[in-house]
Amino acid sequence: MYVLDTNVLIHDPNALLNFEEHDVIIPMTVLEELDSLKSGKQAVAADCRQAIRNIDKLLGDASPGEIEKGVPIVRAKKAEPLGALSILMSTEHQDNHGLPEHLNDNKIINTLAALQSRHKSRDIILVSKDINMRLKARGFGVEAQDYHNDMLLDDIDLLPKGYKEFPNSFWDTIEKVETVQREGITEHLLRREGDLAKLTINEFVIDEQGFVGKVSDVSDDRIIIRDLYQHDLMNEEVWGLVPRDIYQAIALNLLLDPDIHLVNLTGSAGSGKTILALAACIEMTVASKIYKRIIATRSTQGLDEDIGFLPGTEAEKMEPWLGAIVDNLEALHEDDENMTASVDYILSKVPLHFKSMNYIRGRSFQHSLIIIDESQNLTPHQIKTIITRAGNGSKVICLGNLAQIDTPYLSALSSGLTYMTERFKTFRHGGHIHLQGVPRSVLAEYAEANL
């Protein structure tokens, strides 16, 4: 029996369907918490409403007795039911061994302890994203686990970086190669074996001798690597910005590629995620005019609340949250004679729109560049909501630092950015680069090393 905490249903409203043949139990206290959080336009409220609808759909017209016993979970019309869903009534503890019931967490744990005493032959497991709730449950004798269904990795270090680095020369590891040149493009056809077997589409190959290649096609037994010239990559200027290392150079290559519709950039503070994305976006809207507009949004704790009713447009209310965008605009024009005038000119010429995440749901952006800043703070469900807003001819750029997660109950392994990077690693029109740290200043470099 798996008993779900409220935060699990908020994190993934479809969690009810992910326990296969096992029984799923929803405590009455969890339903009450969902009910209290369901109102409003916040992302949490929308997730609560979705979870409530899913529970109602699975229970259907079942009688109270059937709900208490367990309603078989039907996942498809012609599929056999698998597992059962039931609602667990709260039980008052008459003895002195229960936790004080002034907290909802304590009520749930007490109810599980009573359930455990009635079903001693079955394993009863609490599933919660709250680490303190799990600790309290274990201390009270109830087994507790994190929700692992959307954790595609056991260790964050296993997350693809978007490139494979080879010591010395990459060609020292290759026995046989067929090279083809056409229309100014050099491609190497290699057998997919050894380290090459792990490479995926749009992943890069880098060695210490200066070779840079990009995987352009993959089959079961063959891999095609397009030869990219390091000198050209390192000297490509994008809206006045020149890459400072090879990692920024290959990130720009993905950002500027019209065949790539999803780019994930991860890395520590100061690695250049935002300024690279912004320079590429301005280049593609103002210079080449491939896209019509830039949509910038961001997830923070404050943004989960309403943006307020005080005077001001949505853009004006969003601007403090998206200060990093404006800061990087200024950095791109710091050498101009009048930086302020240049930034104002860019903001007047570039169709750059600041959007609140709360009001993106239900929209459809055509021929747009969608920048999602701080995307490590999104759940897989939330990031899917935003990415599905991308209409015809649009490109999504997700920026984030997995070492700085501010959302409660979210870890690097369960972050939407991690989930999406792993799920999209074989997507022909997607790419991911983990940027290395490029110190912003001598002070920042010393602080990183000594604080």
Side-chain angles (χ1 to χ4, degrees):
M1 295 181 178
Y2 284 100
V3 182
L4 306 191
D5 195 6
T6 311
N7 47 60
V8 173
L9 293 171
I10 294 173
H11 178 80
D12 181 5
N14 297 314
L16 298 164
L17 304 173
N18 295 329
F19 291 88
E20 299 180 345
E21 75 277 11
H22 306 288
D23 291 345
V24 177
I25 298 174
I26 308 293
M28 186 62 70
T29 306
V30 168
L31 287 180
E32 292 170 353
E33 288 185 335
L34 290 174
D35 185 60
S36 65
L37 294 169
K38 71 181 181 183
S39 302
K41 295 182 179 180
Q42 305 95 319
V44 168
D47 292 335
C48 286
R49 292 193 293 270
Q50 182 61 46
I52 292 169
R53 284 193 293 268
N54 288 345
I55 294 171
D56 179 63
K57 181 179 178 181
L58 290 174
L59 293 179
D61 299 326
S63 66
E66 290 172 333
I67 292 174
E68 185 177 359
K69 183 180 178 181
V71 178
I73 297 176
V74 179
R75 291 167 174 79
K77 287 184 178 179
K78 296 183 179 180
E80 289 293 323
L82 200 61
L85 173 65
S86 60
I87 305 297
L88 180 63
M89 292 296 297
S90 300
T91 54
E92 295 292 336
H93 266 67
Q94 303 299 328
D95 53 40
N96 297 323
H97 300 293
L99 293 172
E101 299 213 340
H102 63 292
L103 298 174
N104 284 343
D105 286 359
N106 292 358
K107 290 180 182 178
I108 294 172
I109 293 172
N110 285 339
T111 302
L112 293 197
L115 182 67
Q116 199 170 52
S117 64
R118 295 200 304 269
H119 300 277
K120 294 182 179 179
S121 62
R122 300 194 63 182
D123 293 328
I124 297 173
I125 301 169
L126 171 66
V127 182
S128 175
K129 299 295 298 178
D130 185 349
I131 189 170
N132 195 58
M133 172 77 157
R134 299 198 300 268
L135 290 172
K136 287 169 67 176
R138 288 184 190 131
F140 198 64
V142 176
E143 187 177 347
Q145 296 179 1
D146 196 357
Y147 178 65
H148 295 291
N149 184 262
D150 54 7
M151 295 184 188
L152 303 179
L153 301 170
D154 295 326
D155 189 339
I156 198 63
D157 292 333
L158 300 175
L159 188 71
K161 291 185 176 181
Y163 49 84
K164 173 71 174 174
E165 295 182 275
F166 289 83
N168 301 316
S169 174
F170 164 70
W171 298 109
D172 291 343
T173 64
I174 304 300
E175 294 181 2
K176 184 179 179 181
V177 59
E178 180 184 345
T179 300
V180 178
Q181 289 186 329
R182 53 183 174 79
E183 300 177 358
I185 296 174
T186 302
E187 291 185 329
H188 307 288
L189 282 67
L190 308 167
R191 281 167 46 179
R192 196 178 183 199
E193 57 187 9
D195 288 333
L196 299 186
K198 300 177 182 178
L199 292 177
T200 55
I201 192 78
N202 295 323
E203 201 165 358
F204 291 83
V205 172
I206 304 170
D207 71 10
E208 295 177 350
Q209 302 296 320
F211 172 73
V212 182
K214 179 182 180 182
V215 179
S216 59
D217 197 13
V218 174
S219 64
D220 291 338
D221 58 351
R222 191 180 69 166
I223 187 168
I224 300 177
I225 296 180
R226 180 177 298 174
D227 204 327
L228 303 177
Y229 301 101
Q230 185 171 4
H231 179 270
D232 295 342
L233 287 174
M234 293 299 296
N235 289 278
E236 183 170 16
E237 186 173 324
V238 180
W239 203 256
L241 184 74
V242 178
R244 297 176 64 178
D245 59 23
I246 190 60
Y247 310 106
Q248 290 190 355
I250 58 179
L252 279 175
N253 180 272
L254 285 180
L255 289 166
L256 297 171
D257 190 337
D259 292 327
I260 302 294
H261 306 316
L262 173 68
V263 179
N264 300 331
L265 298 183
T266 59
S268 59
S271 56
K273 301 182 295 294
T274 307
I275 198 167
L276 288 170
L278 194 59
C281 287
I282 295 174
E283 181 77 21
M284 290 186 288
T285 49
V286 177
S288 60
K289 299 187 183 300
I290 300 174
Y291 300 92
K292 293 181 178 179
R293 59 180 173 174
I294 305 170
I295 308 293
T297 188
R298 169 179 183 161
S299 173
T300 68
Q301 279 303 100
L303 278 182
D304 283 340
E305 305 301 327
D306 202 288
I307 59 175
F309 296 96
L310 293 176
T313 64
E314 182 184 8
E316 289 170 342
K317 292 176 181 180
M318 287 296 298
E319 195 167 338
W321 297 108
L322 293 160
I325 302 289
V326 178
D327 292 344
N328 282 282
L329 269 178
E330 294 176 350
L332 287 171
H333 295 274
E334 63 183 356
D335 293 330
D336 293 0
E337 185 176 339
N338 188 333
M339 180 181 67
T340 304
S342 294
V343 171
D344 290 340
Y345 174 79
I346 289 298
L347 288 174
S348 66
K349 290 294 182 182
V350 177
L352 175 59
H353 305 285
F354 294 158
K355 296 291 181 183
S356 168
M357 254 185 53
N358 298 338
Y359 300 97
I360 281 182
R361 189 184 298 268
R363 302 284 301 273
S364 181
F365 300 115
Q366 310 290 332
H367 304 287
S368 303
L369 288 159
I370 305 170
I371 301 177
I372 310 174
D373 200 12
E374 302 291 341
S375 57
Q376 77 275 6
N377 287 316
L378 295 169
T379 67
H381 178 69
Q382 289 170 334
I383 211 161
K384 178 183 175 182
T385 300
I386 299 176
I387 289 179
T388 51
R389 300 305 97 218
N392 184 42
S394 289
K395 184 171 192 162
V396 178
I397 302 168
C398 299
L399 314 174
N401 179 6
L402 291 168
Q404 293 182 348
I405 294 181
D406 304 314
T407 304
Y409 315 135
L410 206 62
S411 66
L413 286 172
S414 61
S415 167
L417 180 58
T418 302
Y419 185 81
M420 185 180 57
T421 300
E422 182 66 18
R423 273 291 173 94
F424 279 82
K425 67 182 180 182
T426 57
F427 179 48
R428 179 168 291 277
H429 302 288
H432 163 68
I433 296 295
H434 178 73
L435 296 167
Q436 305 294 325
V438 180
R440 295 171 174 170
S441 64
V442 175
L443 172 61
E445 184 177 11
Y446 186 85
E448 285 285 344
N450 295 280
L451 294 182

